[in-house]
């Protein structure tokens, strides 16, 4: 069974607020598009019922506006969305115990933290030593993602909150875990993990040096 740090409560970690423009036109376009579509449909319906051409045209124009918002979101990838893609690749590598692919998701100077992103961290070398357990006693037999929340911190950085329920070779049942992950764009344009914080293991802080 994985080790826990006794008597240390978990920290309530929240995502930063994504800039409004990025949220509305990239990460959550339906937040803006859906009410526009509702108003557009109501205008078009009212115009058709009362033979008011202007209302119908206004409804059509608003529908086109909503479609444009969704189209823009489809082609624009925010830092938060880049971060999510990197985290999904890391999870897939961990599930298959492919340590080469796993390490490729991290920046060379990445760090691993326990309990919160500001806790004392381990370097990449120690992280990969801990990751060796994915081939042995902590080999993943099944895993389901229960949370995958994202936020854009700035134009170069995205944050992900990841929740999982994982069954390993050494566990008796699915174990809930929660992670805070900072992904940053590198000089070559790649989006790689710079900070990985293991927040919770069975609602407690995991022991430092484990994975």
């Amino acid at each position: 069974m994985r080790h826990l740090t006794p008597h240390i409560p978990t920290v309530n970690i929240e995502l930063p607020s994504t800039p409004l423009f990025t949220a509305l036109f990239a990460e959550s376009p339906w937040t803006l598009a859906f009410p526009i579509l509702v108003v557009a449909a109501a205008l078009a319906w009212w115009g058709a019922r009362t033979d008011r051409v202007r209302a119908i045209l206004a409804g059509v124009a608003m529908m086109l506006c909503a479609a444009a918002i969704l189209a823009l979101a489809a082609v624009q990838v925010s830092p938060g969305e880049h971060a999510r893609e990197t985290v999904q690749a890391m999870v897939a590598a961990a599930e298959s115990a492919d340590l080469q692919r796993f390490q490729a998701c991290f920046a060379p100077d990445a760090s691993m933290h326990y309990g919160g992103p500001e806790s004392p961290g381990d370097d990449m070398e120690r992280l990969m030593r801990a990751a060796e357990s994915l081939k042995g006693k902590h080999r993943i037999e099944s895993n389901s993602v229960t949370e995958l929340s994202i936020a854009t911190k700035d134009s170069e950085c995205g944050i992900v909150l990841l929740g999982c329920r994982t069954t390993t070779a050494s566990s008796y049942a699915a174990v809930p875990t929660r992670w805070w992950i900072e992904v940053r764009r590198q000089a070559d344009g790649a989006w790689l993990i710079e900070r990985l914080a293991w927040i919770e293991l069975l609602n407690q802080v995991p022991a430092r040096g484990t994975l």
Side-chain angles (χ1 to χ4, degrees):
M1 191 69 181
R2 298 183 181 185
H3 298 293
L4 304 174
T5 300
H7 309 305
I8 299 180
T10 58
V11 178
N12 185 24
I13 303 291
E14 295 184 356
L15 289 172
S17 297
T18 295
L20 183 61
F21 183 88
T22 302
L24 295 179
F25 292 95
E27 294 178 3
S28 305
W30 281 103
T31 302
L32 180 60
F34 182 73
I36 292 176
L37 286 171
V38 170
V39 173
L43 271 175
W45 176 83
W46 179 73
R49 288 289 300 271
T50 58
D51 292 326
R52 296 180 181 271
V53 176
R54 288 186 179 180
I56 296 173
L57 292 177
V60 171
M62 292 180 72
M63 289 182 185
L64 291 175
C65 178
I69 292 170
L70 296 175
L72 177 63
V75 299
Q76 181 172 305
V77 182
S78 72
E81 291 170 315
H82 279 296
R84 178 171 56 202
E85 292 173 359
T86 300
V87 168
Q88 289 173 323
M90 179 200 69
V91 170
E95 290 172 344
S96 61
D98 188 334
L99 297 190
Q100 185 174 357
R101 282 173 51 210
F102 182 81
Q103 185 171 5
C105 296
F106 291 84
D109 59 349
S111 56
M112 172 85 178
H113 307 259
Y114 297 86
E118 304 305 326
S119 302
D122 294 336
D123 60 17
M124 194 65 200
E125 181 179 354
R126 189 167 180 179
L127 168 59
M128 291 310 300
R129 283 203 303 269
E132 290 289 338
S133 66
L134 294 172
K135 289 187 171 183
K137 63 179 181 178
H138 293 157
R139 177 176 52 83
I140 296 174
E141 296 182 344
S142 67
N143 181 61
S144 60
V145 174
T146 58
E147 179 182 7
L148 193 63
S149 304
I150 65 172
T152 292
K153 184 177 180 180
D154 55 46
S155 62
E156 304 293 319
C157 180
I159 306 293
V160 177
L161 277 179
L162 171 69
C164 295
R165 289 185 63 85
T166 310
T167 302
T168 69
S170 61
S171 67
Y172 297 104
V175 176
T177 60
R178 199 158 179 255
W179 311 74
W180 179 98
I181 305 160
E182 180 182 85
V183 180
R184 188 169 291 277
R185 177 158 47 190
Q186 307 299 300
D188 62 357
W191 290 84
L192 300 177
I193 297 168
E194 289 202 343
R195 276 195 297 170
L196 172 65
W198 191 356
I199 303 168
E200 294 179 12
L201 170 62
L202 289 170
N203 296 317
Q204 298 182 54
V205 175
R208 186 173 179 180
T210 59
L211 186 63

